[in-house]
Structure formats: structure tokens, C-alpha cells
Amino acid sequence: MKRFEYHQPQSLDEASALLAELGTQASIIAGGTDLLVEIKEELRKPLHVVDIKKLPGLGDLSFDASEGLRFGALVTARQIETWAPVIEHYPNLRTAVSLLGSIQVRNRATVVGNVCRASPSADTIPPLVADGASLEVYNRTGERTIAIEEFFTGPGRTVLAPGDIVTGISVPPPQPASGRAYIKHGRRKAMELATVGVAVSLDSDGDTCREIRIALGAVAPTPIRARNAEALSRGRALDLSAIAAIADAAMAESTPISNVRASADYRREMVGVLTRRAIGQAMGGIQ
Ligand SMILES: Cc1cc2nc3c(=O)[nH]c(=O)nc-3n(C[C@@H](O)[C@@H](O)[C@H](O)COP(=O)(O)OP(=O)(O)OC[C@H]3O[C@@H](n4cnc5c(N)ncnc54)[C@H](O)[C@@H]3O)c2cc1C
């Protein structure tokens, strides 16, 4: 393992100043479940590691029917997985975190870290994209909010600049008569990264679909929205033939690569299969 200098700032301002000064030589560490593996395997060689665990206010977790869900950068996957409001109102996110690694990993891994790692196959990203989440970013020069869809610029790359710290994520409140689903497909049932991940959030209007957001993971350089498929769905009764057309559109929008886990053709096919299933699950879960 490459040696690095360890820093434990006590305030956001101090952490941001340090990160701005050290620039690309520094990496933030939260749970460390990605970063330490990458350092050990020499995929990353930061000279400085800035631990954010002592920063105040990053452990908050809240839900309000009018404000929605908000969680800070230190909230773990396991906290999200076991928290009643998430189980009740955001079953897509709940499913995603429950499929992330093992309980030991989930007790350390943060959801914000999973998003910031920006892996195309990260489990928590598709449901957060489908739900229209936004990221709160602190920099000592100012704070800003970024829509999660605008956060990713490529595999492992984001719009974050030196000095930026993601302090939390907000997810809008569920609409009445809405349903959500996330389906992960991998080679094994556990401890496996997604070969394809599909998240669907839909709001219904009686028999028709009022609004739908379909997010695909692991089938493009960044997680994506299947916007053509969504456009086909709005204002339409989601019967079997409509769902088949929507699933075909989602397949056409994916641009997967072949790698050790699956071929591009297989992944594209699975986008269709999982989109059909996820729409069905979201409709079945309408509350
Ligand atoms: C055995 C094992 C199995 C796994 N299985 C899965 C799986 O099934 N699905 C899946 O999606 N992931 C899986 N993972 C990865 C998952 O654990 C991580 O993505 C985790 O969620 C990252 O959170 P962390 O707090 O550990 O981040 P860290 O490792 O501390 O950081 C990850 C990255 O995010 C940056 N970062 C962290 N916090 C912030 C912040 N607040 N602001 C800005 N940048 C930040 C870091 O600099 C680093 O680049 C697995 C990992 C292991 C070791």
C-alpha cells in the first residue's frame, strides 16, 4: 500500500481549505470501502487523505412528507436500509442499499460515497436519479446544489472541484399515487456489482401514467435517464403492449460495453427485461 499523509479536519471550512490547497494530491475518505481498496490495489495514489468523519452535521437523516428525504454525507447504507421512512416511501433506494455488498460493508459505506465514486454500476445512483435527487456541495468559497443527473461526467468522474465536499443528498417527497422500483442484475445473488440496474419512479393518474422517470445503471459511461422511453409512457395506460414498447425504447437508449461481467448485447437485452419488470413492480407498489 502506498504511503499517504492522513488529515482529520474539525470543520467544513478547514477541510475545504485543505482540499483546495492540496488539489489532485488529496482524496476525501468517508467509509473508505472504495478508497482504501483502490489505494491498496494502486488504482489511486493520493499523497494526502482527508477524513471527513469528525466534521459536524454530516450525520443527519430526516424525512418530512412535504420536504422529502435528506441524509448527510456520513449516513451509512445500513442506516438508510433499516430506517422506517425509507422502507415506507423509497422502496427503490431501500432495495438498492440492501443489495450493496454485505452487512459489514453497509455498516461502513456511505450512500454519498457511493454516489461520489461515480461508478457506472453503483447501486444507489439509479434510484436517486429516478427520484430527482440533488446533492448539496460545500466549498469555503460558497455552497451550491447540483441535480444528481448533472453530477457525473464519466466513469469515476464528477463535476466536483478541489475544495468541494458533498455534505448531503435531498430526495423530493413522494407524490400521491406513486410507485418505485429498483432491480439489480448480477451474476451472483450477493456481493456482486450490477451488470445492469434499472430504477423506475412513476406517478399515476387513475389508469394512466402521469409522470415516469427511468434510470439505467451499468449500461453507459454514466448512469442515464431513458428519456425516449419516458416520453412514450406519459399520459398513457401502461398495458402490456405499451410496456413492451417502452422497454424497447430503453434498450435502444443504452450504450453498454462488453467486459468481464457481461457482453454489450446481453446487457442491452437485460435493460429491456428489467425495464418491463421494474415498471410492473412500480405499478404494483403504487401507494
Ligand atoms: C466487498 C465490497 C462489496 C461492494 N459491493 C457493492 C455493491 O454491490 N454495489 C455498489 O454500488 N457498491 C459496492 N461496493 C462499493 C461501496 O461500498 C462504495 O461505493 C461505498 O458506498 C462508498 O462509500 P464510502 O463511504 O466507503 O466511500 P469512500 O471509499 O470513503 O469514498 C469513495 C469515493 O467518494 C469520495 N467521497 C466520499 N465522500 C465524499 C464526500 N462527502 N464529498 C466528496 N467526495 C466524497 C472519495 O474521495 C472517494 O473518491 C462494495 C465495496 C466492497 C469493499
Side-chain angles (χ1 to χ4, degrees):
M1 200 177 201
K2 267 261 188 243
R3 292 181 73 82
F4 53 78
E5 198 174 327
Y6 174 78
H7 306 263
Q8 194 164 61
Q10 305 293 311
S11 72
L12 273 171
D13 205 40
E14 190 192 335
S16 175
L18 195 58
L19 287 162
E21 181 197 320
L22 297 169
T24 53
Q25 296 185 352
S27 289
I28 290 178
I29 189 165
T33 62
D34 270 326
L35 186 69
L36 290 178
V37 173
E38 288 175 324
I39 294 177
K40 214 166 175 181
E41 292 180 357
E42 303 212 344
L43 299 170
R44 269 166 90 171
K45 297 173 185 168
L47 298 176
H48 300 266
V49 167
V50 178
D51 191 337
I52 60 170
K53 281 194 285 297
K54 285 273 160 75
L55 302 184
L58 301 188
D60 300 348
L61 177 58
S62 63
F63 173 76
D64 181 281
S66 57
E67 298 291 321
L69 174 69
R70 186 192 175 278
F71 50 90
L74 293 177
V75 171
T76 64
R78 184 70 177 156
Q79 278 175 280
I80 295 279
E81 178 188 1
T82 54
W83 202 48
V86 173
I87 296 169
E88 186 177 349
H89 300 293
Y90 301 92
N92 48 356
L93 181 60
R94 204 289 172 123
T95 301
V97 285
S98 71
L99 295 171
L100 189 157
S102 60
I103 289 182
Q104 290 92 327
V105 172
R106 301 201 283 277
N107 271 322
R108 282 208 73 84
T110 63
V111 174
V112 168
N114 191 242
V115 172
C116 290
R117 166 69 182 82
S119 163
S121 63
D123 278 306
T124 66
I125 299 174
L128 291 170
V129 169
D131 283 353
S134 43
L135 278 68
E136 297 152 19
V137 180
Y138 179 90
N139 191 302
R140 74 198 164 117
T141 58
E143 292 176 44
R144 63 195 198 278
T145 301
I146 304 173
I148 191 165
E149 272 183 71
E150 286 156 24
F151 188 64
F152 308 103
T153 55
R157 295 204 312 272
T158 70
V159 298
L160 291 179
D164 283 349
I165 301 162
V166 177
T167 47
I169 294 183
S170 306
V171 193
Q175 297 297 306
S178 63
R180 297 168 155 70
Y182 173 66
I183 305 184
K184 169 182 187 170
H185 182 66
R187 288 179 309 178
R188 295 189 307 253
K189 289 219 183 305
M191 300 291 283
E192 172 67 319
L193 294 179
T195 303
V196 178
V198 177
V200 167
S201 293
L202 72 84
D203 306 335
S204 89
D205 213 351
D207 289 339
T208 56
C209 165
R210 180 158 42 89
E211 179 60 26
I212 190 167
R213 290 160 308 276
I214 302 171
L216 311 177
V219 291
T222 65
I224 55 165
R225 285 267 297 272
R227 290 188 182 274
N228 298 337
E230 293 174 2
L232 277 181
S233 321
R234 290 191 190 102
R236 211 167 157 185
L238 298 182
D239 55 23
L240 285 181
S241 74
I243 293 175
I246 295 161
D248 284 350
M251 277 170 71
E253 287 178 84
S254 64
T255 54
I257 53 162
S258 297
N259 69 6
V260 59
R261 291 211 294 280
S263 70
D265 285 346
Y266 178 73
R267 283 179 205 257
R268 199 174 292 107
E269 198 64 34
M270 287 312 294
V271 168
V273 172
L274 299 191
T275 301
R276 275 198 295 279
R277 282 187 203 156
I279 292 174
Q281 273 189 23
M283 287 167 68
I286 285 176
Q287 45 177 301

